[in-house]
Amino acid sequence: MTTSVADIVRIGPVIPVLAFESAEQGEGVSRALHAGGVKVLEITLRTAAGLAAIERAARLAPDIVVGVGTLTSPRQCAMAKKAGARFGVSPGLTRDLHQAAQDEGLPLLPGVMTPSDILLALELGYEIVKFFPAQQAGGVPMLKALHGPFPGLKFCPTGGINVDNAPSFLALPNVVCVGGSWLTPQAAVAAQDWAQITRLAGAASALARATK
């Protein structure tokens, strides 16, 4: 089953960016997030457990949409799709990565930071991109500035987003959702405090977005 990026980013206002030390840890966190109403997960390949965690999370519930994050090479697209990923997220964009995602039928949310990055994304047909690293690249003022020359492009800012600044990003007309790791504090994950993660997920799911 293929779901478009346009559909995925509108499921909820926050896509948690996740990195797990084990598949078991990933399953516990994913269950807790889903219980709080978060149905879209980005499980990154920053750890060796990434693919196994994707495989487990993808089977947790029929309405969960698991994506693979930190895609940096074409070969990872096939591996992630086989594990059950429904979409991919990359920190940047190359033509080879784009083609590999296309070949695998893996909808891609590519990372951009500069106008030149955006021009490549537009040339390849993308209408929604990840703005990364969001805070370090200029944050809300930068996204406001990019809205002028690129009025039709939508963004999912990720990097430095937290519970305090997320509302200011979500209020922008060119932001459809945000990515962040604040839903899964390290202490809560280590203590297996699933109730806290579920509470944070519930609060994140209730964040308001501008009418797009």
Side-chain angles (χ1 to χ4, degrees), residues 14 160-170 178-183 199-201 203-204 207:
V14 180
I161 312 294
N162 56 48
V163 66
D164 296 318
N165 62 24
S168 62
F169 281 94
L170 290 167
V178 299
S181 58
W182 81 88
L183 281 67
R199 285 194 298 272
L200 291 170
L207 288 173

Side-chain angles (χ1 to χ4, degrees), residues 74-163:
R75 65 180 182 83
Q76 292 171 328
C77 293
M79 296 161 61
K81 184 72 181 293
K82 184 178 179 180
R86 299 263 296 277
F87 68 102
V89 185
S90 60
L93 179 62
T94 66
R95 293 182 184 276
D96 286 345
L97 188 60
H98 163 77
Q99 190 59 54
Q102 291 280 101
D103 291 344
E104 291 298 330
L106 189 70
L108 183 64
L109 180 65
V112 302
M113 188 177 73
T114 68
S116 293
D117 295 340
I118 290 172
L119 288 174
L120 173 60
L122 291 173
E123 183 180 327
L124 293 174
Y126 291 95
E127 298 177 348
I128 303 171
V129 295
K130 167 183 170 178
F131 181 54
F132 176 81
Q135 277 292 82
Q136 296 86 339
V140 168
M142 184 64 165
L143 284 166
K144 287 181 177 178
L146 291 172
H147 189 48
F150 307 110
L153 191 64
K154 301 298 184 183
F155 294 89
C156 171
T158 304
I161 312 294
N162 56 48
V163 66

Side-chain angles (χ1 to χ4, degrees), residues 28 60 68-69 133 151 200:
L60 288 179
V68 56
L200 291 170

Side-chain angles (χ1 to χ4, degrees), residues 64-75:
I64 200 166
V65 181
V66 180
V68 56
T70 322
L71 281 176
T72 57
S73 72
R75 65 180 182 83

